[in-house]
Amino acid sequence: MKQSEIKELSVAELQEKLSEVKKSYSDLKLAHAISPLENPIQLRSARRTVARIATELTKRDSQ
């Protein structure tokens, strides 16, 4: 998910998306621990998406 897409979402949508992405990230980590993922870059992508959404939420709270 790109930063421009994240900026367009409301706070409620961001919180919902954050929980979804965190769940998918933990599922990916578990699957990778059991057997290596075909594309391990998915882990990095999910982790960075979590960080982008969390950063946007923090930024909106401080404003």
Side-chain angles (χ1 to χ4, degrees):
M1 188 168 218
K2 296 189 179 213
Q3 189 67 26
S4 58
E5 296 170 350
I6 292 172
K7 286 183 178 183
E8 295 173 359
L9 299 175
S10 69
V11 174
E13 290 172 329
L14 282 174
Q15 290 171 340
E16 182 181 324
K17 195 71 164 168
L18 182 63
S19 64
E20 289 174 13
V21 175
K22 278 186 175 182
K23 171 128 178 53
S24 70
Y25 176 63
S26 63
D27 292 344
L28 279 172
K29 277 188 358 183
L30 182 62
H32 188 63
I34 294 171
S35 65
L37 291 176
E38 190 172 308
N39 184 7
I41 303 300
Q42 291 173 328
L43 288 170
R44 181 171 61 189
S45 173
R47 187 174 63 241
R48 288 181 178 179
T49 301
V50 167
R52 282 187 188 106
I53 295 172
T55 300
E56 184 64 26
L57 282 170
T58 303
K59 183 175 147 185
R60 289 185 187 188
D61 284 342
S62 66
Q63 290 178 349

